[in-house]
Amino acid sequence: MPRQLGELEDAVMTRVWQWNRPVTVREVLEDLQQERSIAYTTVMTVMDNLHQKGWVRREVSGRAYRYTAVSTRAAYSAALMNEAWSKSDNPAAALVAFFGMMSAEQREALNDAVRIVQRDTPEQGAEEPREEPPEVPSAGEAAEGEAGAGR
């Protein structure tokens, strides 16, 4: 399980993920310099560290390396959420609390994701009717559920 990226690692990976193509240290540097003062060697070290940690692969292009993300930001986020959830002593309560923090748009995105996963999961038995996915509770419903989770 990957550890959470540091602030500068995340800033670099954000660009690699957004651009979705092989990038050079110089390209990342120039984009980062629009937000902060940073040295070429700092960006080069961060990108080398990301390579050593397995976040990016690199190939030689002339006198420089071109770096490409090994996985997506979505996969990274999912792995972090899974790790945090798996460390909970009460996973159901953790989910209820998490749902309570979600905006309406986030809950709708979660409902869409549940529908996709259920649609793409092979059915257990041909005769069994497929159940509809459970709806994610609203913030008020989630708070009520969390209060009752400890009972």
Side-chain angles (χ1 to χ4, degrees):
M1 170 60 218
R3 68 168 181 77
Q4 186 169 356
L5 295 169
E7 184 224 341
L8 190 51
E9 290 174 327
D10 187 69
V12 168
M13 284 305 301
T14 294
R15 282 145 180 89
V16 175
W17 281 320
Q18 284 176 342
W19 295 339
N20 196 28
R21 61 173 172 76
V23 300
T24 64
V25 171
R26 175 82 45 209
E27 290 173 307
V28 174
L29 170 72
E30 290 172 358
D31 199 61
L32 284 171
Q33 285 179 331
Q34 294 177 23
E35 300 171 0
R36 63 177 87 187
S37 176
I38 191 166
Y40 179 92
T41 53
T42 301
V43 177
M44 182 176 64
T45 299
V46 169
M47 294 187 81
D48 184 61
N49 289 343
L50 290 167
H51 174 255
Q52 297 300 320
K53 293 176 182 180
W55 288 103
V56 293
R57 68 177 59 89
R58 67 184 179 195
E59 52 188 59
V60 177
S61 176
R63 293 180 40 185
Y65 284 114
R66 289 202 173 270
Y67 294 84
T68 308
V70 169
S71 67
T72 65
R73 184 173 214 48
Y76 165 68
S77 298
L80 290 178
M81 289 187 292
N82 186 55
E83 180 183 23
W85 186 45
S86 69
K87 288 182 179 179
S88 174
D89 60 345
N90 188 339
L95 280 177
V96 170
F98 182 62
F99 294 156
M101 294 177 201
M102 295 175 117
S103 68
E105 294 81 19
Q106 289 170 322
R107 285 191 304 276
E108 186 58 34
L110 180 60
N111 282 325
D112 291 344
V114 169
R115 284 184 200 97
I116 290 168
V117 168
Q118 287 189 336
R119 180 193 70 210
D120 292 346
T121 302
E123 293 185 35
Q124 297 297 328
E127 301 87 36
E128 295 178 28
R130 177 169 273 184
E131 292 182 29
E132 283 297 310
E135 290 294 316
V136 176
S138 68
E141 293 168 335
E144 291 172 15
E146 185 178 355
R151 291 183 214 162

